[in-house]
Amino acid sequence: MLTETASSTTESDFAIENFRVSDDDLPEFKDMKFENINELHLDHPGANDAEYRARRDHIAGLSKNFRMTGEITDVDYSPREQRVWRYVAEELEELQQRYASPFYLRAKKDLGITTDRIPQLSEMNRRLKELTGFRLAPIEGLVETRGFLSWLSYRVMLCTQYIRHHSQPAYTPEPDIVHEAIGHIPMFTNPNFADYSQFIGHGARIATDQQIEELGRLYWFTVEFGLVEHEGDIKAYGAGLLSSFGELEHAFSDKVDRRPFDLEEVINHEYTYSDMQPVLYMIPSYAELKEVTKKYIETFNK
Ligand SMILES: [Fe+2]
């Protein structure tokens, strides 16, 4: 997930192509830029729980090790954290059987993401790298839009490792391991989706500030809240849907205007963070999403 601010640094042009990045060609993780991400907003259910805050900050701090060494540190999750995971993962699993994209459901199994225990980023990272050349990089929290999206250009997804507060397991105002592992990570095993994400990343590196806003909306209505057609049916593949009971049920209710995906419309569609999504877009396939996005990003340098 990302924040609303955009920075104005852009890079010079390069080929808008898909490629896997070797360890040697990755930018240095220690050069990662991010905002003040140790802040916990007052509407967070754990904001007044000193023990939770200390634990969240400890886990967030592990990403500093990663930036220095490039190695993901496993988290020794507590029994209470495991209980939060089991509760949320089981509830979501039931809903996902009805609403999630079949590709996603298979991928979740393939990655060994179960309701039993919190998966480690290191395990999922190893498998992803083999399958699509995508990597996971631990991060403390939200990152500004250009910085976050630009990492996708190197087939890197920034992920948090801590888990939401136990008082409200159905809700988190910030990304957590549930959002990353149940929402985002399985879809990066899809070659077309992985390539599509890389194109967004390429775009972020060369976009004007206005184009960054457009890319943020494209990301929002696909990677976070996307629907896909499947054998005459509609299924969810967006992480914001797949990791939220409320959003997932709502997405398939009468309250939502489900529209065919139209790139021009999507990149101009303002959205809000705070409410349930009133409009969602259905892509015909991940391959078509990739193609139309590639053409769009190719116009950035012209
Ligand atoms: Fe997200």
Side-chain angles (χ1 to χ4, degrees), residues 99-119:
Y99 298 127
S101 114
F103 180 90
Y104 164 87
L105 289 172
R106 224 177 21 250
K108 200 165 89 162
K109 263 201 190 125
D110 289 349
L111 286 174
I113 301 169
T114 69
T115 56
D116 302 341
R117 63 170 189 102
I118 305 174

Side-chain angles (χ1 to χ4, degrees), residues 1 157 179-180 184 219 224 239:
M1 209 175 266
M157 174 70 176
H179 178 71
E180 316 291 15
H184 283 291
Y219 180 92
E224 292 292 351

Side-chain angles (χ1 to χ4, degrees), residues 266-286:
V266 167
I267 61 176
N268 290 299
H269 191 148
E270 295 283 346
Y271 61 86
T272 55
Y273 281 90
S274 43
D275 301 317
M276 293 271 193
Q277 302 303 310
V279 178
L280 295 173
Y281 292 93
M282 303 173 288
I283 56 165
S285 69
Y286 306 113

Side-chain angles (χ1 to χ4, degrees), residues 231-288:
E231 295 174 358
D233 219 347
I234 304 167
K235 298 291 181 181
Y237 71 92
L241 299 175
L242 294 166
S243 65
S244 159
F245 325 145
E247 288 282 4
L248 191 50
E249 285 217 281
H250 180 258
F252 292 88
S253 72
D254 296 344
K255 296 182 196 104
V256 175
D257 180 5
R258 289 176 292 273
R259 302 181 187 170
F261 182 85
D262 178 280
L263 186 109
E264 204 49 39
E265 188 180 324
V266 167
I267 61 176
N268 290 299
H269 191 148
E270 295 283 346
Y271 61 86
T272 55
Y273 281 90
S274 43
D275 301 317
M276 293 271 193
Q277 302 303 310
V279 178
L280 295 173
Y281 292 93
M282 303 173 288
I283 56 165
S285 69
Y286 306 113
E288 283 182 59

Side-chain angles (χ1 to χ4, degrees), residues 16-61:
I16 306 298
E17 297 294 341
N18 290 123
F19 46 83
R20 291 191 180 204
V21 183
S22 71
D23 290 346
D24 293 341
D25 290 337
L26 268 184
E28 294 267 5
F29 287 114
K30 66 177 165 51
D31 297 334
M32 257 188 209
K33 292 192 188 72
F34 41 83
E35 290 180 334
N36 179 11
I37 49 191
N38 285 324
E39 200 176 289
L40 196 57
H41 291 291
L42 283 174
D43 66 345
H44 191 292
N48 297 316
D49 179 342
E51 195 188 327
Y52 176 81
R53 291 189 70 137
R55 174 69 178 157
R56 173 192 172 276
D57 293 349
H58 165 71
I59 297 175

Side-chain angles (χ1 to χ4, degrees), residues 21-34 37 62-73 121 125 129 133-140 143 147-148 150-159:
V21 183
S22 71
D23 290 346
D24 293 341
D25 290 337
L26 268 184
E28 294 267 5
F29 287 114
K30 66 177 165 51
D31 297 334
M32 257 188 209
K33 292 192 188 72
F34 41 83
I37 49 191
L62 300 176
S63 46
K64 290 194 188 82
N65 300 344
F66 171 78
R67 283 197 292 281
M68 297 318 294
T69 64
E71 296 294 320
I72 300 172
T73 307
L121 286 190
N125 179 58
K129 250 176 99 173
F134 240 84
R135 300 162 201 257
L136 306 174
I139 188 78
E140 285 92 331
V143 179
F148 178 87
S150 293
W151 277 98
L152 295 172
S153 173
Y154 303 98
R155 295 174 95 86
V156 174
M157 174 70 176
L158 305 186
C159 292

